[in-house]
């Protein structure tokens, strides 16, 4: 992007630029992929665009369902305009099915359906390797007021309800996902970051037998190949859904 806009922050998968309106930012989605706290890195041409388009559609859908989000509008295919937020340094993971780190850290078998959604909260801190954290430790660190943590957990459960049925409609199983929240300039809590196959596990329900077909970043984490094909398939199903429901 031209230097008319100042780069405020660069993360692993996105760049955040200033906007002439101080209440807004411009978010550019990169083609870079990282896993295992950036120990594994690669570039996938077109990933930024797909994640941006998928996130925009999902944020719009969540907004229609009364979830406050930072998303304002698409600027182009790999860039969106969002409300400026002060990001709360917590990663809120919700799991419907046991997979990934939950199975590495416990005796729960991969693929176990959880009788109720499990929320795992991680401290967003690369140096500490994003550790799993407790409510009491969050309190000790004064990261946020406990009433705000309750609001975030409640929003996460609501988002899960909305997204589970949304993805089911397009033949996808929402296994788990990670959310980030922040405060806008008026101190409202908004959903931030992105919602894409980079931070959701999505399994294809169009399978005759019980094999797991991941259409998400596990294609990269587990060297399955076909990441762009999988993300394109998600984007295509989402677009078809909105065409049909218009
Ligand atoms: N996740 C994420 N960013 C992270 C860690 C996890 O977006 O830094 C997402 C991940 O894509 C999955 C969910 O959170 O949808 C649960 O991930 P898990 O804790 O199983 O971690 P992983 O398998 O990456 O070790």
């Amino acid at each position: 992007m031209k230097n008319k806009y100042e780069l405020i922050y660069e993360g692993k998968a996105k760049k955040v630029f200033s906007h002439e309106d101080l209440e807004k930012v411009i978010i550019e989605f990169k083609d870079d992929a990282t896993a295992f706290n950036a120990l594994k890195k690669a570039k996938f041409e077109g990933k930024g665009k797909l994640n941006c388009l998928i996130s925009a559609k999902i944020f719009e859908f969540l907004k229609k369902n009364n979830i406050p989000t930072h998303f304002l509008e698409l600027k182009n295919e790999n860039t969106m305009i969002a409300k400026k937020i002060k990001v709360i340094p917590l990663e809120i993971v919700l799991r419907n099915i046991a997979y990934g780190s939950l199975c590495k850290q416990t005796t729960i078998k991969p693929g176990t359906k959880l009788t109720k959604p499990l929320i795992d909260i991680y401290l967003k801190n690369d140096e500490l390797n994003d550790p799993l954290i407790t409510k009491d430790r969050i309190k000790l660190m004064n990261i946020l007021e406990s009433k705000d943590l309750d609001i975030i957990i409640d929003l996460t459960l609501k988002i899960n309800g909305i997204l589970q049925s949304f993805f089911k409609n397009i033949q996808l199983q929402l296994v788990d996902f990670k959310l980030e929240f922040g405060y806008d300039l008026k101190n409202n809590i908004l959903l931030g970051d992105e919602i894409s196959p980079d931070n959701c596990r999505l399994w294809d329900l169009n399978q005759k037998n019980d094999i797991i077909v991941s259409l998400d970043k596990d294609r990269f984490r587990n060297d399955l190949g076909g990441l762009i094909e999988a993300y394109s398939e998600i984007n295509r199903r989402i677009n078809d859904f909105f065409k049909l429901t218009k």
Side-chain angles (χ1 to χ4, degrees), residues 22 58-59 102-103 114 132 135 144 163 197 203 207 216:
L22 295 177
I58 295 177
F59 279 138
L102 174 63
C103 303
L114 305 177
L132 185 64
K135 270 192 174 183
L144 78 179
L163 291 187
W203 292 351
Q207 298 295 327
D216 54 54

Side-chain angles (χ1 to χ4, degrees), residues 103-120:
C103 303
K104 289 183 190 143
Q105 293 164 2
T106 69
T107 54
I108 303 166
K109 296 234 157 42
T112 309
K113 286 207 167 94
L114 305 177
T115 47
K116 67 176 189 114
L118 172 71
I119 292 190
D120 282 335

Side-chain angles (χ1 to χ4, degrees), residues 47-186:
K47 181 177 83 77
K49 175 184 125 182
L50 286 163
N51 280 348
C52 182
L53 295 174
I54 293 168
S55 288
K57 280 268 158 34
I58 295 177
F59 279 138
E60 269 169 12
F61 186 69
L62 289 174
K63 238 180 211 180
K64 279 197 190 115
N65 284 277
N66 299 317
I67 300 293
T69 84
H70 71 156
F71 176 74
L72 293 169
E73 58 179 331
L74 274 178
K75 185 171 157 71
N76 56 49
E77 286 191 318
N78 68 339
T79 316
M80 60 171 64
I81 299 177
K83 278 192 199 156
K84 184 187 274 179
I85 56 172
K86 190 165 162 271
V87 177
I88 297 166
L90 296 176
E91 302 197 339
I92 317 292
V93 168
L94 184 143
R95 304 173 191 275
N96 294 307
I97 295 182
Y99 214 66
S101 70
L102 174 63
C103 303
K104 289 183 190 143
Q105 293 164 2
T106 69
T107 54
I108 303 166
K109 296 234 157 42
T112 309
K113 286 207 167 94
L114 305 177
T115 47
K116 67 176 189 114
L118 172 71
I119 292 190
D120 282 335
I121 306 180
Y122 299 84
L123 181 67
K124 197 173 146 69
N125 184 314
D126 285 340
E127 274 167 38
L128 296 176
N129 235 332
D130 295 349
L132 185 64
I133 196 171
T134 63
K135 270 192 174 183
D136 285 342
R137 287 186 184 190
I138 293 172
K139 226 186 215 168
L140 265 182
M141 286 187 293
N142 273 324
I143 292 178
L144 78 179
E145 284 180 41
S146 58
K147 78 162 181 20
D148 285 354
L149 186 59
D150 291 342
I151 292 174
I152 286 171
I153 290 172
D154 190 49
L155 277 170
T156 303
L157 289 167
K158 272 194 195 131
I159 292 167
N160 183 48
I162 297 164
L163 291 187
Q164 255 190 326
S165 56
F166 171 74
F167 282 122
K168 205 166 171 216
N169 271 319
I170 55 172
Q171 293 299 305
L172 293 168
Q173 171 102 60
L174 179 60
V175 174
D176 57 30
F177 57 90
K178 184 261 302 183
L179 302 178
E180 290 179 25
F181 293 87
Y183 293 101
D184 70 7
L185 297 177
K186 291 180 192 117

Side-chain angles (χ1 to χ4, degrees), residues 170 234-245:
I170 55 172
I234 305 265
N235 190 39
R236 188 188 62 73
R237 288 191 201 180
I238 291 176
N239 284 334
D240 287 352
F241 174 82
F242 285 116
K243 257 184 231 149
L244 281 174
T245 55

